[in-house]
């Protein structure tokens, strides 16, 4: 029979062993999470936390945990070794403590050792089998929960004395890990294609899916120079006209400049407001704008596509590293990276040659060069900063042209008359000589004819 003090010690050893088993499970869960979470996951989470509606206290606390998690991921190899070392040490201590506690019951030495080893192996197996192998979102939650402890425990690792450059050289970074996974997936798809299990179009789409992670939002966005936007003082009636001419149904609304973003105006909101109340057409766009979805230009396209699906948004404004508007991206832009160019029944790709009109003007494709325009009208435009008819019209307007846009420059009258493509970019421009230019030419011609007639009369008089 054990005395009271011995019994208390035995119970205490068993309680410590249970705590070490719990610690082993935590280390196994963290080890699994570290191998799954990537830097892009944490960067996107940081952006979400900074723009959510939580209190300032909760936001700062979450950001601090994300910082710890980023530090852990930055030293992924060292963090993994820390978790593995902690888990193994916990399992060894569990076996030793259970063996010591069992020895208090006058058990043979060989049985005491056998029980200790068996409990250590059992606890190691439990830690491996019960550790989560769940979704990436669950792994992020686990890492955020235990990252502060792991980042501090990393300083106690035996690798602490290693040279930092050597440690980084052996570090398995997330980009390298993802690259290996992509190469393996590409090899698998190539084997399936060689087996002729899929046709050429499906095979190309499967390859495109693997490139989404490597493609950034800034590579597929509409740059701000080509982005069509309206000022917040624009009336609803004017937006109806502009949307009819441009073909867009979602338009960014700005204030004093493009960077002064007010929101996104939806054509269906304008129709809803004015359909049964014509007087509402005099209201400004500022009264109906919606909160815009903002995304960083460095966001991978696969994450962008997932976020737009989750938030049920078809358009987002792209923000550069300085907080300015870099461009606009739609869910169709992301989808086109998989299935290719999307066109509807209204889209027409125009490759016509310049056509002369009855009034003497020319109907030319928007990409017609300045040199060709100079030859058509026998003028010298002297434009060094633009190369096409579209660029000439854009420069004269000072903004992105849409169908119906009209401007005069260098004695020419330019009108955008047609658009093509899903982005409704102007495709055809009609160019004529400006009316004042024609009058000037006629006046100069008349004056020159009169001068020649006068000179001829004087010569005749002198001959006489």
């Amino acid at each position: 029979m054990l005395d009271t003090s011995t019994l208390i010690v035995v119970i205490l050893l068993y309680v410590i062993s249970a705590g070490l088993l719990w610690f082993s499970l935590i280390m196994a869960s963290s080890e699994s999470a570290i191998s799954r979470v990537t830097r892009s996951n944490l960067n996107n989470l940081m952006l979400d936390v900074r723009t959510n509606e939580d209190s300032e206290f909760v936001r700062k606390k979450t950001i601090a945990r994300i910082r710890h998690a980023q530090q852990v991921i930055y030293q992924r190899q060292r963090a993994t070794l820390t978790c593995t070392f902690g888990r193994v040490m916990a399992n060894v201590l569990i076996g030793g403590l259970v063996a010591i506690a069992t020895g208090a019951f006058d058990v043979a030495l060989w049985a005491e050792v056998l029980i200790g080893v068996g409990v250590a192996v059992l606890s190691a197996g439990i830690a491996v089998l019960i550790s989560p192998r769940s979704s990436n979102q669950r792994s992020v939650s686990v890492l955020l929960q235990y990252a502060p402890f792991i980042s501090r425990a990393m300083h106690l690792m035996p690798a602490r004395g290693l040279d930092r450059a050597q440690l980084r050289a052996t570090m398995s970074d997330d980009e390298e890990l993802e690259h290996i996974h992509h190469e393996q997936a590409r090899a698998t798809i190539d084997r399936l294609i060689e087996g002729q299990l899929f046709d050429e179009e499906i095979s190309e789409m499967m390859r495109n899916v693997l490139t989404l992670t490597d493609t950034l939002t800034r590579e597929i966005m509409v740059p701000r120079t080509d982005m069509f936007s309206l000022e917040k003082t624009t009336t609803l009636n004017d937006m109806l006209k502009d949307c009819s001419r441009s073909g867009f149904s979602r338009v960014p609304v700005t204030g004093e400049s493009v960077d002064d973003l007010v929101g996104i105006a939806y054509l269906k909101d304008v129709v809803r407001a004015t359909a049964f109340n014509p007087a509402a057409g005099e209201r400004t766009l500022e009264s109906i704008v919606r909160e815009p979805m903002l995304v960083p230009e460095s966001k991978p396209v696969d994450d962008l596509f997932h976020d737009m699906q989750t938030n049920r948004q078809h358009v987002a404004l792209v923000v550069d590293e300085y907080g300015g508007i870099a461009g606009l991206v739609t869910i169709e832009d992301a989808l086109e990276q998989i299935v290719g160019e999307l066109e509807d029944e209204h889209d027409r790709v125009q490759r016509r040659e310049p056509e002369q009109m009855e009034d003497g003007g020319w109907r030319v494709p928007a990409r017609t060069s300045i040199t060709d325009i100079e030859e058509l009208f026998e003028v010298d435009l002297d434009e060094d900063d633009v190369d096409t008819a579209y660029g000439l019209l854009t420069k004269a307007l000072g903004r992105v042209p849409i169908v119906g846009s009209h401007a005069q420059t260098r004695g020419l009258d330019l009108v955008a008359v047609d658009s093509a493509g899903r982005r409704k970019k102007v495709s055809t421009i009609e160019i004529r000589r400006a009316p004042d230019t024609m009058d000037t030419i006629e006046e100069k011609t008349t004056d020159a004819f009169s001068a020649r007639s006068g000179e001829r009369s004087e010569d005749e008089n002198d001959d006489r």
Side-chain angles (χ1 to χ4, degrees), residues 59-282:
R59 188 181 295 113
K60 287 183 178 180
K61 187 176 180 180
T62 307
I63 290 176
R65 288 185 175 272
I66 295 176
R67 296 291 187 194
H68 284 295
Q70 288 175 332
Q71 182 181 0
V72 169
I73 295 302
Y74 179 70
Q75 303 182 62
R76 186 189 301 273
Q77 184 70 15
R78 187 170 184 172
T80 302
L81 291 175
T82 300
C83 293
T84 304
F85 179 78
R87 177 169 57 83
V88 172
M89 287 300 299
N91 295 332
V92 172
L93 290 175
I94 289 171
L97 293 178
V98 170
I100 294 173
T102 305
F105 295 98
D106 295 331
V107 179
L109 180 60
W110 64 269
E112 181 180 341
V113 173
L114 185 60
I115 292 174
V117 172
V119 170
V121 173
L122 181 62
S123 62
I126 293 175
V128 172
L129 295 176
I130 299 183
S131 60
R133 296 290 190 270
S134 56
S135 64
N136 194 44
Q137 186 63 35
R138 173 60 181 165
S139 298
V140 172
S141 301
V142 171
L143 184 59
L144 290 180
Q145 185 175 0
Y146 302 117
F149 172 77
I150 296 173
S151 62
R152 294 184 180 92
M154 287 165 58
H155 297 287
L156 304 177
M157 275 295 298
R160 183 181 180 183
L162 292 179
D163 182 73
R164 193 173 183 83
Q166 294 178 356
L167 188 60
R168 289 185 180 178
T170 59
M171 183 176 62
S172 177
D173 204 358
D174 53 343
E175 287 82 5
E176 183 179 354
L177 182 63
E178 291 176 359
H179 178 73
I180 294 174
H181 290 167
H182 289 163
E183 291 299 327
Q184 292 175 346
R186 290 189 181 96
T188 302
I189 291 177
D190 289 339
R191 287 195 295 270
L192 293 175
I193 294 173
E194 290 174 0
Q196 298 181 351
L197 299 178
F198 306 105
D199 57 26
E200 185 176 351
E201 290 78 9
I202 295 179
S203 302
E204 185 64 25
M205 285 191 289
M206 294 175 68
R207 288 193 181 100
N208 292 339
V209 169
L210 295 178
T211 64
L212 292 182
T213 303
D214 301 326
T215 307
L216 303 181
T217 299
R218 63 170 168 262
E219 299 177 33
I220 68 169
M221 71 180 183
V222 178
R224 62 182 292 168
T225 53
D226 294 338
M227 189 174 70
F228 175 69
S229 61
L230 295 173
E231 296 182 356
K232 62 181 180 181
T233 55
T234 305
T235 63
L236 302 188
N237 285 334
D238 289 339
M239 181 179 173
L240 286 173
K241 298 176 183 178
D242 290 335
C243 288
S244 298
R245 292 161 54 195
S246 66
F248 297 117
S249 60
R250 300 174 180 88
V251 182
V253 179
T254 60
E256 297 179 356
S257 65
V258 178
D259 292 325
D260 183 18
L261 182 65
V262 177
I264 298 288
Y266 285 68
L267 178 61
K268 63 181 180 181
D269 292 337
V270 178
V271 174
R272 188 182 296 114
T274 58
F276 302 103
N277 183 18
E282 299 303 320

Side-chain angles (χ1 to χ4, degrees), residues 315-462:
V315 62
L317 275 301
V318 184
V319 182
D320 59 24
E321 58 182 329
Y322 302 105
I325 301 300
L328 178 145
V329 65
T330 65
I331 198 168
E332 287 84 1
D333 293 325
L335 189 59
E336 283 181 348
Q337 298 302 304
I338 301 175
V339 300
E341 186 72 20
L342 294 175
E343 296 181 357
D344 58 27
E345 65 275 13
H346 303 293
D347 294 333
R348 298 182 300 278
V349 180
Q350 304 201 11
R351 299 184 176 88
R352 298 197 305 264
E353 295 294 327
E355 300 176 1
Q356 189 169 20
M357 299 180 292
E358 295 180 356
D359 58 1
W362 288 84
R363 182 180 289 108
V364 302
R367 294 186 177 182
T368 302
S369 68
I370 294 293
T371 304
D372 292 340
I373 296 175
E374 290 176 337
E375 293 179 357
L376 292 175
F377 290 91
E378 298 180 352
V379 296
D380 184 11
L381 297 179
D382 191 23
E383 293 287 350
D384 297 329
D385 50 350
V386 295
D387 300 319
T388 63
Y390 180 84
L392 187 63
L393 178 58
T394 302
K395 181 181 178 180
L397 286 172
R399 63 180 185 276
V400 177
I402 60 176
V403 174
S405 296
H406 170 267
Q408 290 185 4
T409 180
R410 303 290 186 178
L412 298 179
D413 188 86
L414 297 90
V415 182
V417 296
D418 199 3
S419 63
R422 184 178 53 77
R423 292 178 175 174
K424 305 300 181 184
K425 192 171 182 177
V426 170
S427 62
T428 307
I429 298 175
E430 291 183 355
I431 307 178
R432 302 175 178 85
R433 293 189 183 275
D436 54 348
T437 304
M438 295 297 296
D439 295 339
T440 302
I441 292 174
E442 290 177 358
E443 291 176 0
K444 289 181 178 180
T445 304
T446 303
D447 294 342
F449 179 77
S450 300
R452 291 194 192 109
S453 298
E455 292 174 357
R456 194 175 300 132
S457 299
E458 292 177 357
D459 293 340
E460 289 176 356
N461 292 332
D462 293 339

